[in-house]
Amino acid sequence: MRLPITLLGTALCLTLSAHAQSIDPQKVTFDYVRLPLVPVPAGTHTFQPEVLLRYEDAVKQQKADHQTAVADAKTKAEQAKQEYKAQSFGAKALNRLVLDERKPGEAVIPPADYTAQVYDGKSLASTYVHVSGLQASQGSGDLHVTVSLDGFTQGPITPLAVQGSQVKVGGAALGDGVKHAYEVSYKSPMYVKVAAKDGTVLLDEMIEATNTYTVAKTEAFATEEGLNKYWRTNQNAFMRQLDENLLKSNMKLVTEYLDSKFGQRPVTRNTSIIVISDKKVNYDEYPQAYEKALMGYKMLADPSRATDAQKQIGEAIALWNKALAEANPKDKKARIDEKVMAATLFNAAEANVWLNNFDEAERLLARLKLLDISRYNELAKELSVVVQDQRTRYSANKKS
Protein backbone atom coordinates (compact mmCIF):
# COMPACT_ATOMS: atom_id res chain seq x y z
CA MET A 1 0.00 0.00 0.00
CA ARG A 2 2.92 2.35 0.56
CA LEU A 3 3.98 2.41 -3.10
CA PRO A 4 0.78 3.98 -4.43
CA ILE A 5 0.89 6.57 -1.64
CA THR A 6 4.46 7.44 -2.57
CA LEU A 7 3.57 7.76 -6.24
CA LEU A 8 0.58 9.92 -5.39
CA GLY A 9 2.76 12.14 -3.23
CA THR A 10 5.25 12.50 -6.06
CA ALA A 11 2.47 13.45 -8.49
CA LEU A 12 1.15 16.02 -6.06
CA CYS A 13 4.60 17.50 -5.67
CA LEU A 14 4.97 17.79 -9.43
CA THR A 15 1.55 19.41 -9.69
CA LEU A 16 2.35 21.90 -6.95
CA SER A 17 5.68 22.58 -8.57
CA ALA A 18 3.99 23.35 -11.89
CA HIS A 19 1.44 25.66 -10.26
CA ALA A 20 4.11 27.47 -8.17
CA GLN A 21 5.40 29.02 -11.39
CA SER A 22 4.88 32.81 -11.46
CA ILE A 23 4.55 34.69 -14.75
CA ASP A 24 4.74 38.34 -13.78
CA PRO A 25 4.47 41.16 -16.38
CA GLN A 26 6.50 44.09 -15.10
CA LYS A 27 5.10 47.33 -16.54
CA VAL A 28 7.78 49.40 -18.25
CA THR A 29 7.63 52.98 -19.54
CA PHE A 30 10.44 54.50 -21.57
CA ASP A 31 11.06 57.12 -24.24
CA TYR A 32 12.62 56.55 -27.64
CA VAL A 33 13.47 58.95 -30.44
CA ARG A 34 10.91 58.44 -33.20
CA LEU A 35 12.38 58.93 -36.66
CA PRO A 36 10.46 60.94 -39.30
CA LEU A 37 8.59 59.15 -42.07
CA VAL A 38 9.89 61.73 -44.55
CA PRO A 39 13.58 62.53 -44.01
CA VAL A 40 14.58 66.16 -44.46
CA PRO A 41 17.75 67.39 -46.19
CA ALA A 42 20.91 67.47 -44.10
CA GLY A 43 21.39 70.76 -42.30
CA THR A 44 17.66 71.41 -41.91
CA HIS A 45 17.04 73.34 -38.70
CA THR A 46 14.15 75.77 -39.40
CA PHE A 47 10.81 75.89 -41.15
CA GLN A 48 8.50 78.66 -42.34
CA PRO A 49 4.83 77.97 -41.44
CA GLU A 50 1.99 79.29 -43.58
CA VAL A 51 -1.78 78.76 -43.63
CA LEU A 52 -3.67 79.61 -46.82
CA LEU A 53 -7.45 80.20 -46.77
CA ARG A 54 -8.33 79.10 -50.27
CA TYR A 55 -12.05 79.64 -49.69
CA GLU A 56 -11.88 83.32 -48.74
CA ASP A 57 -12.84 84.59 -52.21
CA ALA A 58 -15.76 82.13 -52.36
CA VAL A 59 -17.07 83.48 -49.04
CA LYS A 60 -16.84 87.06 -50.34
CA GLN A 61 -18.71 86.03 -53.50
CA GLN A 62 -21.38 84.22 -51.48
CA LYS A 63 -21.97 87.31 -49.36
CA ALA A 64 -22.03 89.55 -52.44
CA ASP A 65 -24.55 87.24 -54.15
CA HIS A 66 -26.82 87.41 -51.11
CA GLN A 67 -26.59 91.18 -50.99
CA THR A 68 -27.53 91.27 -54.67
CA ALA A 69 -30.49 88.97 -54.04
CA VAL A 70 -31.66 91.20 -51.18
CA ALA A 71 -31.33 94.30 -53.34
CA ASP A 72 -33.27 92.61 -56.16
CA ALA A 73 -36.05 91.62 -53.78
CA LYS A 74 -36.34 95.18 -52.47
CA THR A 75 -36.31 96.61 -56.01
CA LYS A 76 -39.05 94.25 -57.16
CA ALA A 77 -41.14 95.05 -54.09
CA GLU A 78 -40.77 98.77 -54.71
CA GLN A 79 -41.66 98.35 -58.40
CA ALA A 80 -44.74 96.38 -57.44
CA LYS A 81 -45.78 99.18 -55.08
CA GLN A 82 -45.29 101.83 -57.74
CA GLU A 83 -47.23 99.83 -60.35
CA TYR A 84 -50.06 99.29 -57.89
CA LYS A 85 -50.08 102.96 -56.98
CA ALA A 86 -50.30 103.95 -60.66
CA GLN A 87 -53.45 101.90 -61.21
CA SER A 88 -56.84 103.56 -61.15
CA PHE A 89 -59.26 102.90 -58.34
CA GLY A 90 -61.45 100.85 -60.67
CA ALA A 91 -58.55 98.77 -61.92
CA LYS A 92 -57.49 98.04 -58.36
CA ALA A 93 -61.02 96.96 -57.44
CA LEU A 94 -61.39 94.80 -60.54
CA ASN A 95 -58.01 93.12 -60.06
CA ARG A 96 -58.83 92.45 -56.45
CA LEU A 97 -62.20 90.95 -57.36
CA VAL A 98 -61.09 88.91 -60.37
CA LEU A 99 -57.44 88.16 -59.66
CA ASP A 100 -57.50 88.38 -55.85
CA GLU A 101 -54.66 90.86 -56.21
CA ARG A 102 -53.82 92.62 -52.98
CA LYS A 103 -51.77 95.67 -52.19
CA PRO A 104 -48.09 94.74 -52.45
CA GLY A 105 -46.36 94.22 -49.16
CA GLU A 106 -42.79 94.72 -48.05
CA ALA A 107 -39.94 92.87 -49.76
CA VAL A 108 -39.49 89.20 -48.85
CA ILE A 109 -35.81 89.03 -47.95
CA PRO A 110 -34.24 85.70 -49.00
CA PRO A 111 -32.57 83.91 -46.06
CA ALA A 112 -28.80 83.85 -46.13
CA ASP A 113 -27.08 80.47 -46.22
CA TYR A 114 -24.33 79.96 -43.67
CA THR A 115 -21.00 81.33 -44.82
CA ALA A 116 -17.80 79.67 -43.64
CA GLN A 117 -15.91 81.62 -41.03
CA VAL A 118 -12.74 83.28 -42.32
CA TYR A 119 -9.97 82.75 -39.78
CA ASP A 120 -6.65 84.50 -39.22
CA GLY A 121 -4.11 82.46 -41.20
CA LYS A 122 -1.10 83.81 -39.30
CA SER A 123 -2.67 82.92 -35.96
CA LEU A 124 -3.48 79.41 -37.14
CA ALA A 125 0.07 78.94 -38.44
CA SER A 126 1.69 80.00 -35.17
CA THR A 127 -0.73 77.92 -33.08
CA TYR A 128 -0.91 74.65 -34.99
CA VAL A 129 1.87 74.36 -37.59
CA HIS A 130 4.81 72.77 -35.75
CA VAL A 131 7.58 70.32 -36.63
CA SER A 132 9.30 68.64 -33.66
CA GLY A 133 13.04 69.20 -33.68
CA LEU A 134 12.85 72.23 -36.00
CA GLN A 135 12.57 75.90 -35.14
CA ALA A 136 9.79 78.04 -36.64
CA SER A 137 11.11 80.98 -38.70
CA GLN A 138 9.29 84.19 -39.50
CA GLY A 139 11.30 84.64 -42.69
CA SER A 140 12.59 82.07 -45.14
CA GLY A 141 13.26 78.69 -43.47
CA ASP A 142 15.01 75.49 -44.49
CA LEU A 143 11.53 74.07 -45.10
CA HIS A 144 8.39 75.86 -46.30
CA VAL A 145 5.32 74.24 -44.68
CA THR A 146 2.02 75.30 -46.25
CA VAL A 147 -1.35 74.21 -44.90
CA SER A 148 -4.25 74.99 -47.25
CA LEU A 149 -7.85 75.16 -46.03
CA ASP A 150 -10.90 74.74 -48.25
CA GLY A 151 -13.13 75.97 -45.43
CA PHE A 152 -16.28 74.68 -43.83
CA THR A 153 -18.23 72.70 -46.42
CA GLN A 154 -21.87 72.00 -45.69
CA GLY A 155 -23.39 68.77 -46.94
CA PRO A 156 -27.06 67.74 -46.97
CA ILE A 157 -29.39 68.94 -44.20
CA THR A 158 -31.84 66.10 -43.67
CA PRO A 159 -35.09 66.24 -41.67
CA LEU A 160 -35.37 63.46 -39.10
CA ALA A 161 -38.50 62.05 -37.51
CA VAL A 162 -37.75 60.09 -34.37
CA GLN A 163 -40.43 58.08 -32.62
CA GLY A 164 -40.67 59.00 -28.96
CA SER A 165 -43.09 59.03 -26.08
CA GLN A 166 -46.16 61.28 -25.91
CA VAL A 167 -45.39 64.80 -24.73
CA LYS A 168 -48.04 66.18 -22.39
CA VAL A 169 -48.42 69.33 -20.36
CA GLY A 170 -51.25 69.45 -17.86
CA GLY A 171 -52.78 66.33 -19.43
CA ALA A 172 -52.91 67.85 -22.94
CA ALA A 173 -50.94 66.12 -25.68
CA LEU A 174 -48.54 68.42 -27.51
CA GLY A 175 -47.58 65.95 -30.22
CA ASP A 176 -48.03 62.47 -31.58
CA GLY A 177 -44.84 61.17 -29.98
CA VAL A 178 -42.73 61.85 -33.06
CA LYS A 179 -39.79 64.22 -32.56
CA HIS A 180 -38.48 66.38 -35.37
CA ALA A 181 -34.85 67.37 -35.87
CA TYR A 182 -32.29 68.13 -38.56
CA GLU A 183 -29.22 66.06 -39.33
CA VAL A 184 -26.40 68.18 -40.72
CA SER A 185 -23.35 66.80 -42.53
CA TYR A 186 -20.19 68.87 -42.91
CA LYS A 187 -16.44 68.72 -43.48
CA SER A 188 -13.42 71.02 -43.78
CA PRO A 189 -10.76 69.59 -46.14
CA MET A 190 -7.13 70.46 -45.44
CA TYR A 191 -3.94 69.95 -47.44
CA VAL A 192 -0.26 69.97 -46.46
CA LYS A 193 2.66 70.83 -48.71
CA VAL A 194 6.27 70.81 -47.55
CA ALA A 195 9.11 72.02 -49.77
CA ALA A 196 12.84 72.27 -49.18
CA LYS A 197 14.74 75.53 -49.62
CA ASP A 198 15.78 74.55 -53.15
CA GLY A 199 12.12 74.03 -54.14
CA THR A 200 12.11 70.25 -53.91
CA VAL A 201 8.65 69.13 -52.83
CA LEU A 202 8.95 66.62 -50.00
CA LEU A 203 5.22 66.19 -49.43
CA ASP A 204 2.00 67.38 -51.07
CA GLU A 205 -1.05 65.57 -49.74
CA MET A 206 -4.61 65.96 -48.53
CA ILE A 207 -5.18 64.84 -44.97
CA GLU A 208 -7.80 62.23 -45.78
CA ALA A 209 -9.48 62.33 -42.37
CA THR A 210 -10.45 65.97 -42.98
CA ASN A 211 -12.28 65.12 -46.21
CA THR A 212 -14.82 62.86 -44.50
CA TYR A 213 -18.25 64.22 -43.64
CA THR A 214 -19.12 64.51 -39.96
CA VAL A 215 -22.77 64.35 -38.88
CA ALA A 216 -24.44 66.46 -36.20
CA LYS A 217 -28.06 66.64 -35.05
CA THR A 218 -30.06 69.56 -33.78
CA GLU A 219 -32.21 69.25 -30.70
CA ALA A 220 -35.56 67.57 -31.37
CA PHE A 221 -38.96 69.30 -31.29
CA ALA A 222 -42.50 68.01 -30.90
CA THR A 223 -43.66 69.66 -34.15
CA GLU A 224 -42.13 70.47 -37.50
CA GLU A 225 -43.09 74.12 -37.03
CA GLY A 226 -41.19 74.16 -33.74
CA LEU A 227 -38.12 72.79 -35.51
CA ASN A 228 -38.43 75.30 -38.36
CA LYS A 229 -38.81 78.21 -35.97
CA TYR A 230 -35.72 77.09 -34.06
CA TRP A 231 -33.76 76.70 -37.31
CA ARG A 232 -34.71 80.13 -38.65
CA THR A 233 -33.42 81.73 -35.48
CA ASN A 234 -30.45 79.53 -34.63
CA GLN A 235 -29.10 78.13 -37.90
CA ASN A 236 -26.11 80.46 -38.14
CA ALA A 237 -25.12 80.01 -34.48
CA PHE A 238 -25.49 76.22 -34.77
CA MET A 239 -23.37 76.07 -37.93
CA ARG A 240 -20.78 78.49 -36.57
CA GLN A 241 -20.19 76.23 -33.56
CA LEU A 242 -19.72 73.22 -35.84
CA ASP A 243 -17.34 75.26 -37.98
CA GLU A 244 -15.18 76.36 -35.04
CA ASN A 245 -15.06 72.91 -33.42
CA LEU A 246 -14.15 71.22 -36.69
CA LEU A 247 -11.42 73.74 -37.43
CA LYS A 248 -9.76 73.07 -34.06
CA SER A 249 -9.94 69.29 -34.35
CA ASN A 250 -8.69 69.29 -37.96
CA MET A 251 -5.82 71.67 -37.21
CA LYS A 252 -4.78 69.32 -34.40
CA LEU A 253 -4.73 66.56 -37.01
CA VAL A 254 -2.41 68.77 -39.05
CA THR A 255 -0.09 69.15 -36.06
CA GLU A 256 0.00 65.38 -35.49
CA TYR A 257 0.42 64.72 -39.22
CA LEU A 258 3.42 67.04 -39.56
CA ASP A 259 4.97 65.65 -36.41
CA SER A 260 4.63 62.07 -37.64
CA LYS A 261 5.93 62.87 -41.12
CA PHE A 262 8.82 65.22 -40.30
CA GLY A 263 9.23 65.45 -36.52
CA GLN A 264 12.01 63.82 -34.57
CA ARG A 265 11.19 63.71 -30.90
CA PRO A 266 11.01 61.39 -27.89
CA VAL A 267 7.87 59.26 -27.82
CA THR A 268 6.70 57.36 -24.76
CA ARG A 269 6.31 53.59 -25.02
CA ASN A 270 4.26 51.64 -22.45
CA THR A 271 4.91 47.90 -22.47
CA SER A 272 5.87 45.00 -20.18
CA ILE A 273 8.86 42.78 -19.57
CA ILE A 274 7.63 39.43 -18.29
CA VAL A 275 9.59 37.86 -15.45
CA ILE A 276 9.33 34.15 -14.60
CA SER A 277 9.98 32.82 -11.11
CA ASP A 278 9.41 29.57 -9.23
CA LYS A 279 10.23 28.44 -5.72
CA LYS A 280 11.61 25.09 -6.88
CA VAL A 281 12.76 25.70 -10.47
CA ASN A 282 15.63 27.99 -11.42
CA TYR A 283 14.59 30.90 -13.63
CA ASP A 284 17.42 33.23 -12.67
CA GLU A 285 18.00 34.37 -16.26
CA TYR A 286 14.62 36.13 -16.32
CA PRO A 287 15.26 38.77 -13.63
CA GLN A 288 18.74 39.22 -15.12
CA ALA A 289 17.29 39.78 -18.59
CA TYR A 290 14.68 42.11 -17.12
CA GLU A 291 17.34 44.35 -15.57
CA LYS A 292 19.43 44.45 -18.73
CA ALA A 293 16.49 45.17 -21.03
CA LEU A 294 15.14 47.84 -18.69
CA MET A 295 18.52 49.59 -18.54
CA GLY A 296 18.77 49.45 -22.33
CA TYR A 297 15.25 50.77 -22.89
CA LYS A 298 15.84 53.70 -20.56
CA MET A 299 18.85 54.77 -22.67
CA LEU A 300 16.98 54.87 -25.97
CA ALA A 301 15.94 58.52 -25.61
CA ASP A 302 19.61 59.61 -25.50
CA PRO A 303 21.31 59.11 -28.90
CA SER A 304 24.73 59.49 -27.26
CA ARG A 305 24.09 56.26 -25.31
CA ALA A 306 22.90 54.21 -28.28
CA THR A 307 25.88 51.82 -28.10
CA ASP A 308 25.32 51.11 -24.39
CA ALA A 309 21.58 50.63 -24.99
CA GLN A 310 22.24 48.11 -27.76
CA LYS A 311 24.71 46.22 -25.56
CA GLN A 312 22.27 45.88 -22.65
CA ILE A 313 19.31 44.93 -24.86
CA GLY A 314 21.46 42.48 -26.82
CA GLU A 315 22.54 40.71 -23.62
CA ALA A 316 18.91 40.41 -22.51
CA ILE A 317 17.98 38.89 -25.88
CA ALA A 318 20.82 36.38 -25.57
CA LEU A 319 19.41 35.18 -22.22
CA TRP A 320 15.91 34.82 -23.64
CA ASN A 321 17.18 33.04 -26.77
CA LYS A 322 19.07 30.55 -24.59
CA ALA A 323 15.85 29.81 -22.71
CA LEU A 324 13.92 29.41 -25.98
CA ALA A 325 16.46 26.85 -27.16
CA GLU A 326 15.16 24.43 -24.53
CA ALA A 327 11.48 25.25 -24.99
CA ASN A 328 9.12 22.27 -24.99
CA PRO A 329 5.57 23.64 -25.30
CA LYS A 330 3.98 20.18 -25.35
CA ASP A 331 5.44 19.18 -21.98
CA LYS A 332 3.66 20.89 -19.09
CA LYS A 333 6.47 19.79 -16.77
CA ALA A 334 9.22 21.33 -18.87
CA ARG A 335 11.07 24.31 -17.42
CA ILE A 336 10.30 26.29 -20.57
CA ASP A 337 6.76 25.07 -21.09
CA GLU A 338 4.16 26.65 -23.39
CA LYS A 339 3.33 29.59 -21.11
CA VAL A 340 6.96 30.41 -20.32
CA MET A 341 7.81 30.07 -24.00
CA ALA A 342 5.06 32.56 -24.92
CA ALA A 343 6.29 35.10 -22.37
CA THR A 344 9.86 34.70 -23.59
CA LEU A 345 8.89 35.11 -27.24
CA PHE A 346 7.10 38.35 -26.41
CA ASN A 347 10.06 39.70 -24.42
CA ALA A 348 12.51 38.87 -27.18
CA ALA A 349 10.27 40.26 -29.94
CA GLU A 350 9.89 43.61 -28.15
CA ALA A 351 13.64 43.83 -27.52
CA ASN A 352 14.54 43.11 -31.14
CA VAL A 353 12.41 46.04 -32.29
CA TRP A 354 14.72 48.45 -30.46
CA LEU A 355 17.80 46.92 -32.09
CA ASN A 356 16.12 47.44 -35.49
CA ASN A 357 16.02 43.65 -35.99
CA PHE A 358 12.55 43.79 -37.52
CA ASP A 359 12.68 40.47 -39.38
CA GLU A 360 13.63 38.69 -36.16
CA ALA A 361 10.90 40.49 -34.22
CA GLU A 362 8.30 39.40 -36.76
CA ARG A 363 9.61 35.82 -36.73
CA LEU A 364 9.27 35.66 -32.95
CA LEU A 365 5.77 37.14 -33.10
CA ALA A 366 4.79 34.57 -35.70
CA ARG A 367 5.88 31.80 -33.31
CA LEU A 368 3.96 33.48 -30.52
CA LYS A 369 0.76 33.69 -32.59
CA LEU A 370 1.00 29.96 -33.41
CA LEU A 371 0.77 29.16 -29.70
CA ASP A 372 -2.65 30.90 -29.77
CA ILE A 373 -2.71 31.87 -26.10
CA SER A 374 -5.43 34.47 -25.63
CA ARG A 375 -3.55 36.70 -23.19
CA TYR A 376 -0.71 37.07 -25.71
CA ASN A 377 -2.76 37.46 -28.89
CA GLU A 378 -3.60 41.11 -28.16
CA LEU A 379 -0.03 41.83 -27.05
CA ALA A 380 1.29 40.35 -30.29
CA LYS A 381 -1.21 42.35 -32.34
CA GLU A 382 -0.25 45.65 -30.71
CA LEU A 383 3.47 44.94 -31.00
CA SER A 384 3.08 44.05 -34.68
CA VAL A 385 1.84 47.59 -35.32
CA VAL A 386 4.90 49.01 -33.56
CA VAL A 387 7.21 46.74 -35.58
CA GLN A 388 5.70 47.91 -38.87
CA ASP A 389 5.84 51.59 -37.92
CA GLN A 390 9.45 51.37 -36.73
CA ARG A 391 10.49 49.37 -39.81
CA THR A 392 8.96 51.98 -42.14
CA ARG A 393 10.64 54.89 -40.35
CA TYR A 394 14.00 53.14 -40.10
CA SER A 395 13.97 52.17 -43.79
CA ALA A 396 13.07 55.70 -44.90
CA ASN A 397 15.91 57.25 -42.93
CA LYS A 398 18.41 54.56 -43.86
CA LYS A 399 17.84 55.30 -47.56
CA SER A 400 18.34 59.02 -46.99
Side-chain angles (χ1 to χ4, degrees):
M1 295 295 291
R2 290 184 179 180
L3 183 58
I5 293 175
T6 302
L7 291 173
L8 178 61
T10 301
L12 285 172
C13 286
L14 289 172
T15 301
L16 289 172
S17 175
H19 286 289
Q21 185 185 84
S22 174
I23 300 177
D24 186 15
Q26 296 290 323
K27 292 183 179 179
V28 173
T29 298
F30 61 91
D31 290 339
Y32 65 94
V33 178
R34 189 179 69 178
L35 297 173
L37 284 170
V38 182
V40 298
T44 298
H45 302 291
T46 63
F47 71 97
Q48 179 186 356
E50 182 181 21
V51 172
L52 298 179
L53 309 178
R54 301 197 302 199
Y55 63 96
E56 191 169 3
D57 287 343
V59 168
K60 291 178 181 178
Q61 186 62 52
Q62 184 181 354
K63 290 181 177 179
D65 290 345
H66 182 255
Q67 289 176 353
T68 300
V70 171
D72 288 346
K74 290 181 178 179
T75 298
K76 289 179 180 179
E78 184 60 29
Q79 288 176 347
K81 286 181 181 180
Q82 293 302 321
E83 290 174 358
Y84 182 81
K85 185 177 181 180
Q87 293 177 3
S88 65
F89 180 79
K92 290 178 182 178
L94 180 61
N95 288 338
R96 182 171 184 178
L97 180 65
V98 176
L99 303 177
D100 195 27
E101 187 178 88
R102 305 284 175 171
K103 181 179 180 179
E106 297 300 322
V108 178
I109 304 300
D113 292 330
Y114 175 73
T115 53
Q117 184 169 353
V118 176
Y119 298 92
D120 183 352
K122 290 184 178 180
S123 177
L124 292 178
S126 62
T127 303
Y128 294 103
V129 183
H130 304 293
V131 181
S132 297
L134 300 181
Q135 183 68 38
S137 172
Q138 295 300 321
S140 178
D142 297 324
L143 297 180
H144 188 181
V145 181
T146 305
V147 180
S148 299
L149 279 58
D150 280 353
F152 185 85
T153 304
Q154 180 181 300
I157 299 178
T158 308
L160 295 178
V162 182
Q163 185 67 42
S165 58
Q166 287 281 348
V167 180
K168 295 184 178 181
V169 175
L174 298 182
D176 57 4
V178 174
K179 302 296 183 183
H180 301 274
Y182 282 130
E183 182 179 80
V184 181
S185 59
Y186 57 100
K187 63 180 180 178
S188 182
M190 296 186 182
Y191 305 76
V192 175
K193 182 178 181 179
V194 179
K197 185 181 291 186
D198 63 3
T200 302
V201 176
L202 304 178
L203 180 76
D204 190 0
E205 295 179 358
M206 170 191 279
I207 301 180
E208 290 297 335
T210 67
N211 197 38
T212 302
Y213 278 104
T214 300
V215 175
K217 295 178 182 177
T218 67
E219 58 182 291
F221 294 83
T223 64
E224 290 186 53
E225 179 53 35
L227 171 62
N228 292 333
K229 182 178 179 181
Y230 160 82
W231 193 241
R232 286 193 297 269
T233 305
N234 297 283
Q235 178 183 1
N236 278 339
F238 182 84
M239 302 298 283
R240 176 57 58 89
Q241 191 63 58
L242 296 181
D243 189 336
E244 292 177 353
N245 291 344
L246 186 60
L247 174 95
K248 291 177 183 177
S249 62
N250 280 358
M251 288 304 298
K252 287 179 182 178
L253 287 178
V254 168
T255 303
E256 295 168 2
Y257 186 81
L258 286 170
D259 190 68
S260 177
K261 291 288 187 179
F262 296 95
Q264 186 166 332
R265 66 176 177 85
V267 173
T268 300
R269 167 76 176 150
N270 295 305
T271 186
S272 296
I273 302 174
I274 304 172
V275 178
I276 314 298
S277 61
D278 194 300
K279 293 181 179 179
K280 297 185 178 181
V281 181
N282 186 346
Y283 287 106
D284 287 349
E285 70 265 51
Y286 284 87
Q288 293 173 25
Y290 165 76
E291 292 180 10
K292 290 179 178 295
L294 181 60
M295 289 178 62
Y297 292 164
K298 293 295 185 180
M299 297 177 190
L300 289 173
D302 185 355
S304 68
R305 305 190 71 185
T307 301
D308 292 335
Q310 291 175 357
K311 180 176 182 296
Q312 293 293 330
I313 296 172
E315 290 177 358
I317 290 174
L319 290 169
W320 287 321
N321 284 343
K322 187 176 180 181
L324 286 172
E326 64 173 279
N328 190 351
K330 295 183 180 180
D331 184 357
K332 294 182 180 180
K333 299 177 182 179
R335 190 177 82 95
I336 310 300
D337 60 13
E338 183 182 51
K339 292 181 180 179
V340 175
M341 178 183 176
T344 311
L345 287 168
F346 174 76
N347 286 343
E350 173 87 40
N352 272 282
V353 174
W354 308 112
L355 294 187
N356 301 319
N357 297 332
F358 306 113
D359 288 342
E360 177 64 7
E362 289 189 342
R363 186 184 71 82
L364 293 167
L365 285 175
R367 291 180 64 187
L368 178 56
K369 291 172 184 176
L370 285 175
L371 294 177
D372 195 23
I373 300 175
S374 58
R375 66 180 293 187
Y376 291 101
N377 287 341
E378 284 302 313
L379 289 174
K381 183 178 179 181
E382 186 272 341
L383 185 53
S384 292
V385 175
V386 177
V387 172
Q388 186 57 48
D389 184 64
Q390 285 296 104
R391 181 195 287 275
T392 302
R393 293 175 185 278
Y394 178 78
S395 298
N397 287 270
K398 188 177 180 180
K399 291 177 182 178
S400 67

